[in-house]
Amino acid sequence: MIIRLFQLLEQAEARRGMGDQNNWVIRVNDELNRVSENSLEKETEEWKKRSIYKVPIAVADLNKKAYRPQTVSFGPYHHGEGSLKPMEEHKRRALLHFLKRSKKPLQLYVNSLAEVVQQLKDSYDCLDKKWQENTDEFLQLMILDGCFMLEILRTATLSMADYAHNDPIFSDHGKLYILPYIKRDMLMLENQLPMLVLSRLLAVEDKKAMEDEEFVNTLIVKFCSLHVSTKKRMGKCLHVLDVYRKSLLSGEPPKKKDHWKPSSSSGDEIIRSASELNEAGIRFKKSKSVSLKDISFHGGVLRLPRIVVDDVTEPLFLNLIAFERYHVGTGNEVTSYIFFMDSLIDTVRDVSHLNSRGIIQNAIGSDKAATKLFNNLSKDVTIDPNCSLNEVHKEVTHYCSKRLNQWRANLIHTYFTNPWAILSVIAAIFLFALTIIQTIYSILGYYHAE
C-alpha cells in the first residue's frame, strides 16, 4: 500500500513537471511570435532609449567608491540610501525656492514631465519594478532632483539672491565646502538625470531660456570649471556626464600629414614608456588645447593635452570609461586616451618627465601616486582596434624602429642612466682625447728632430 502511494506521488510529480515544461514552451513560442512581428528597426530604437546604466558588480568591485555617490543621489538607483538621506531636506527646500522664483504652479511642471514619463523611465537600464509601476512617485523624484540640480548649476554660475547668506548649500560657504562633493556625485554614471528633465523644467519656468538649446550645456560646462569655449555647440546631450565628456573632446583632432607613410607595422606593439621614447629621441610638448583628441606626432615631437591629476581624477575617468563601455555608439575616445597615457606611464620617472613638460599637473602629492592612478584606470579596459589614437601609435612605433633612433636609445640607456656611467664615459672620452694629443705631439716631435 505504501509503495503504491509513492508510485502515485511520483506520477503526479512527473505530470506536474511536464505541465510546467509545456507552459514554458508555450510562453517561449508566444515571445518568439512577438519578436518575429517586431522589425529590426524597432529593436534598434528600443536600445537607443537607454542612456543611464548600473555598473556591473564585477567592474564596480575594482573600485567600489568610484561609482557610488557619497553626498547626494540623483535619479532612482541610489535614492533612499541612508548616507544620502540628509540631502533630501535640502532638495525640498531648493524646490520651494525654485517654485517661488518661477511664479508657476507645481502642477504645470508635473503635467510637462508626465507627457514624457515613459521616455524618462526608458532612459534607465534595469529600472526597478517599484519605479516602473509607481508613476506618481517617479515623477516626484524627477521634479525634486531636477529642480535641485538646476539650483546647484545656477548657484555655481549665476547670481542667486534669494538664499540666505549662511545657507549650508547655496551660499559662498556651500560653494567652497559642499559643491565640490556634489559635483563629484553629479559625474557618476549611476547618478544621472535625463537631460529631458532639465529642459522640460526650464521650458515651463521660462520659454525664452529654452530658445537657446545650449543653455543647459553652458551651465554644466561652467559648473565643471572646464577651460572650454562655451561658444562651440555640443548639440543634444543625454545627461551631465555626457556633456562633460563632449566638452573634454571639444575641438577637431590634428590634421593628418599627407606626406607620412605608415610602416608595415600592424599596430599591435605596445607603446614604450615616456622615458624610453625620450631616450629614442622623441620630445614631449604640451598641445595647444586641452581636448583629449588633440594628440599628434610629427618631426619627433609628441604633443599631448595638459591634464590635472587630483583626488577626483580616478572616479571621474572610471565613470567616463564605463559610459563609453555600456552606451553603444557613444565612441571610445576617453578610453583610448587613458590606455595611451597608461602605456606612456610605467614608473615614477615617466610621470616626472611628463610633469616637467607641463603635460601632467600633479595635485595629489607624489609622482608615485599619479603613476598608480593611471595604472589603475586601465584595468579591465578593452580597446577598439580602430581607435582614434591608432595612427599616432603607428607613427611613434615607426619612428622608434629607425636604426639611428634605436642606436641612440641603446646608447643612452646603457651609458647615461646613472651618474657613475656618465662619469665613466666622460673619463673615457677625456683619456681618448689625451691619447690623441700625446700621439700628435710625438709625431710633431719626430719631424722636428729630423
Side-chain angles (χ1 to χ4, degrees):
M1 184 68 180
I2 296 176
I3 295 175
R4 179 58 180 165
L5 179 61
F6 275 113
Q7 290 175 342
L8 292 173
L9 288 173
E10 288 176 356
Q11 292 174 3
E13 188 67 28
R15 286 195 295 272
R16 188 182 302 111
M18 184 63 70
D20 291 341
Q21 187 178 28
N22 289 335
N23 290 335
W24 178 72
V25 171
I26 292 171
R27 289 197 303 272
V28 171
N29 285 333
D30 289 341
E31 291 177 5
L32 181 61
N33 291 332
R34 288 196 295 271
V35 169
S36 301
E37 292 171 0
N38 291 331
S39 66
L40 183 60
E41 291 181 2
K42 289 183 179 179
E43 188 175 350
T44 302
E45 288 300 317
E46 192 65 29
W47 286 116
K48 284 174 63 177
K49 294 176 182 178
R50 291 166 174 76
S51 61
I52 304 169
Y53 306 86
K54 279 189 174 182
V55 179
I57 295 176
V59 176
D61 281 347
L62 296 175
N63 191 329
K64 294 182 179 180
K65 289 185 177 182
Y67 305 100
R68 301 186 67 86
Q70 308 294 314
T71 305
V72 60
S73 68
F74 291 104
Y77 288 157
H78 295 280
H79 178 75
E81 291 184 3
S83 60
L84 307 177
K85 283 184 177 180
M87 196 59 68
E88 295 302 311
E89 176 189 346
H90 299 297
K91 288 183 184 180
R92 288 188 288 271
R93 189 164 52 81
L95 173 63
L96 297 178
H97 278 263
F98 180 90
L99 293 173
K100 181 181 178 182
R101 197 183 314 111
S102 72
K103 299 179 181 179
K104 302 286 178 62
L106 176 59
Q107 192 60 46
L108 287 180
Y109 296 98
V110 175
N111 294 342
S112 179
L113 291 187
E115 294 174 0
V116 293
V117 65
Q118 190 56 50
Q119 187 176 343
L120 297 177
K121 290 180 180 180
D122 291 340
S123 299
Y124 291 93
D125 187 47
C126 301
L127 185 62
D128 193 273
K129 190 176 179 180
K130 164 193 172 183
W131 301 106
Q132 291 283 13
E133 295 178 349
N134 196 332
T135 297
D136 290 340
E137 192 170 345
F138 182 80
L139 284 173
Q140 177 182 326
L141 175 69
M142 291 292 104
I143 292 174
L144 200 62
D145 286 2
C147 289
F148 181 71
M149 183 176 286
L150 285 173
E151 293 294 274
I152 290 294
L153 293 174
R154 287 167 163 174
T155 299
T157 58
L158 304 173
S159 177
M160 304 285 285
D162 58 334
Y163 285 100
H165 72 279
N166 58 348
D167 189 289
I169 307 295
F170 304 100
S171 64
D172 291 339
H173 180 89
K175 289 180 184 180
L176 181 62
Y177 292 103
I178 307 299
L179 257 58
Y181 297 97
I182 294 178
K183 182 193 301 183
R184 179 184 185 275
D185 289 349
M186 282 176 63
L187 293 169
M188 292 185 174
L189 180 57
E190 294 186 359
N191 212 34
Q192 297 298 306
L193 289 177
M195 192 65 75
L196 185 59
V197 173
L198 304 184
S199 61
R200 282 268 172 168
L201 292 174
L202 285 172
V204 173
E205 181 193 33
D206 183 6
K207 292 183 179 180
K208 291 182 179 180
M210 289 314 297
E211 290 178 359
D212 180 9
E213 295 179 352
E214 297 293 318
F215 179 74
V216 181
N217 295 342
T218 302
L219 281 180
I220 294 170
V221 170
K222 288 183 178 179
F223 173 69
C224 294
S225 302
L226 294 166
H227 302 289
V228 177
S229 174
T230 55
K231 295 180 180 179
K232 183 175 177 61
R233 302 184 70 83
M234 295 185 187
K236 184 178 180 181
C237 296
L238 301 171
H239 38 63
V240 172
L241 186 64
D242 188 31
V243 174
Y244 190 91
R245 178 183 173 277
K246 287 183 177 179
S247 66
L248 288 178
L249 302 172
S250 62
E252 297 297 327
K255 294 181 179 180
K256 297 180 180 180
K257 310 295 186 304
D258 295 332
H259 63 273
W260 181 81
K261 295 180 180 180
S263 66
S264 58
S265 169
S266 64
D268 294 332
E269 299 88 348
I270 297 175
I271 299 174
R272 301 184 187 183
S273 69
S275 300
E276 291 174 325
L277 293 180
N278 185 52
E279 290 173 359
I282 292 178
R283 292 171 293 155
F284 290 85
K285 288 189 177 181
K286 187 169 57 175
S287 300
K288 294 181 180 179
S289 75
V290 294
S291 170
L292 300 188
K293 293 196 297 185
D294 193 4
I295 298 177
S296 62
F297 181 76
H298 179 61
V301 177
L302 180 59
R303 296 185 180 274
L304 297 165
R306 180 179 66 89
I307 178 174
V308 178
V309 178
D310 54 26
D311 292 334
V312 300
T313 300
E314 186 171 1
L316 173 59
F317 276 103
L318 284 174
N319 280 276
L320 288 167
I321 291 171
F323 178 51
E324 291 187 344
R325 182 175 186 172
Y326 300 113
H327 190 67
V328 179
T330 196
N332 68 330
E333 289 86 354
V334 174
T335 305
S336 299
Y337 166 78
I338 290 299
F339 186 80
F340 192 85
M341 290 298 292
D342 177 54
S343 299
L344 294 177
I345 297 173
D346 280 341
T347 65
V348 172
R349 189 167 156 228
D350 300 316
V351 172
S352 178
H353 184 74
L354 294 176
N355 187 33
S356 67
R357 297 299 182 270
I359 294 169
I360 291 180
Q361 185 175 332
N362 191 356
I364 58 175
S366 68
D367 290 342
K368 183 178 180 180
T371 303
K372 183 178 179 181
L373 183 147
F374 279 102
N375 295 157
N376 288 338
L377 282 174
S378 63
K379 286 182 179 178
D380 198 31
V381 166
T382 303
I383 298 298
D384 186 343
N386 299 317
C387 70
S388 57
L389 289 175
N390 196 34
E391 183 179 340
V392 177
H393 178 187
K394 289 180 178 179
E395 290 180 13
V396 171
T397 302
H398 175 68
Y399 184 91
C400 292
S401 66
K402 292 180 180 179
R403 184 170 298 178
L404 179 62
N405 295 322
Q406 288 180 341
W407 175 83
R408 183 182 187 277
N410 290 332
L411 178 66
I412 293 176
H413 186 74
T414 304
Y415 296 105
F416 296 97
T417 53
N418 63 74
W420 293 112
I422 295 173
L423 289 174
S424 299
V425 172
I426 293 173
I429 294 172
F430 182 70
L431 290 174
F432 183 69
L434 287 177
T435 302
I436 293 175
I437 293 171
Q438 184 179 9
T439 303
I440 292 172
Y441 272 106
S442 298
I443 294 172
L444 291 175
Y446 174 77
Y447 280 109
H448 283 299
E450 290 182 349

